[in-house]
Amino acid sequence: MILHKFKNQAELDRVAADLMMSVVRGRPNAVLGMATGGSPVGLYQEMVKSYKQGLISFKEVRTFNLDEYVGLAVTHPESYRSFMQRNLFDHIDIDIKNTHVPNGNAADIEAECRRYDEALYQQGPVDMQLLGIGHNGHIGFNEPDTTLSRFTHKVTLKEDTREANKRFFNSLDEVPTHAVTMGMGSILHAKSILLVVKGQEKAEILDRTLNGPITTQVPATLLQTHPRVIVLTDCDVNYKLSHS
Ligand code: PGA
């Protein structure tokens, strides 16, 4: 893993956006893996800014989002489809039919998971997968567990995850209890991974991600096995390259 530390989040967002856009400049029909939550908002703003300045086009880009809530109307402002439209897709020249977010309202969720993986594996591998990290070390919605799933699947959200996401809703009761997420196998299949971690309260889990033992109880530690992970953070952490 390569760790870059930043003093301010604006600079981090700029570098993160530049990394994603350099993939698109190198391959105009690149496949980008997208994330939601607080971490990517600033970098999406930077991508929109560059597009509006005429510096980049997303016309042929294809995207796959990590996850979506189950049972939340797609038109709900906190559905991840709505999030992506509001924060990025509505403001750039991407073709909406090339943007993929799992359908959390499918009548048959199992079939939807299979359909999502088929599209992902047909169009992939993802050139660059953007990731945030949960306080409990989840990646996408792959929550800590004794085993982790390889493919896209339905998950029960941990209470600490629902608590963390309560800030986007009126109350905890409104936070969905289930989600569909890409599996760890699909995430690790990406050619490169860009992990964005903001806020000193994430320093401890980021330290475990970088330096701790690899364990399914901290899904983010599996990133240690991937050959091309770039970590951008404003946390005060270090990456230990040896046992000492
Ligand atoms: P955050 O969430 O970016 O809103 O902190 C990240 C995550 O839970 O994966």
Side-chain angles (χ1 to χ4, degrees), residues 56-240:
I56 183 104
S57 168
F58 298 91
K59 243 186 169 62
E60 296 172 52
V61 167
R62 295 158 294 160
T63 64
F64 283 86
N65 265 75
L66 283 168
D67 43 22
E68 178 60 284
Y69 289 118
V70 166
L72 196 64
V74 73
T75 51
H76 189 288
E78 295 309 328
S79 80
Y80 288 164
R81 166 54 77 179
S82 293
F83 174 101
M84 291 308 299
Q85 295 296 140
R86 182 171 67 247
N87 285 290
L88 186 65
F89 299 154
D90 284 348
H91 311 289
I92 59 175
D93 61 346
I94 199 163
D95 184 341
I96 291 304
K97 68 176 188 311
N98 289 335
T99 67
H100 305 269
V101 180
N103 176 6
N105 290 293
D108 184 343
I109 289 282
E110 294 291 311
E112 168 60 12
C113 292
R114 280 196 302 276
R115 184 198 68 79
Y116 201 70
D117 280 330
E118 270 159 32
L120 181 62
Y121 281 79
Q122 225 167 50
Q123 299 195 40
V126 166
D127 290 287
M128 183 173 274
Q129 175 68 58
L130 177 62
L131 294 178
I133 184 176
H135 291 90
N136 63 4
H138 74 205
I139 289 291
F141 274 134
N142 292 277
E143 299 280 34
D145 210 335
T146 49
T147 61
L148 296 173
S149 301
R150 177 178 172 195
F151 295 116
T152 301
H153 59 290
K154 182 179 170 182
V155 288
T156 303
L157 299 178
K158 296 268 188 201
E159 280 314 297
D160 46 2
T161 296
R162 293 185 65 239
E163 274 291 337
N165 288 5
K166 188 175 76 175
R167 67 193 197 276
F168 300 117
F169 293 84
N170 293 318
S171 70
L172 183 62
D173 288 347
E174 284 184 24
V175 184
T177 53
H178 293 82
V180 169
T181 183
M182 269 188 208
M184 284 308 297
S186 305
I187 293 170
L188 292 170
H189 197 57
K191 288 187 203 162
S192 64
I193 290 177
L194 180 61
L195 176 63
V196 171
V197 184
K198 289 176 170 178
Q200 192 55 24
E201 73 280 2
K202 296 251 177 99
E204 192 199 331
I205 194 65
L206 180 55
D207 178 53
R208 290 176 72 187
T209 299
L210 296 169
N211 302 308
I214 297 170
T215 167
T216 58
Q217 295 297 347
V218 183
T221 60
L222 272 79
L223 297 174
Q224 292 178 28
T225 67
H226 192 284
R228 291 194 54 161
V229 180
I230 301 172
V231 184
L232 305 185
T233 188
D234 61 350
C235 295
D236 186 18
V237 288
N238 290 305
Y239 182 36
K240 301 185 182 95

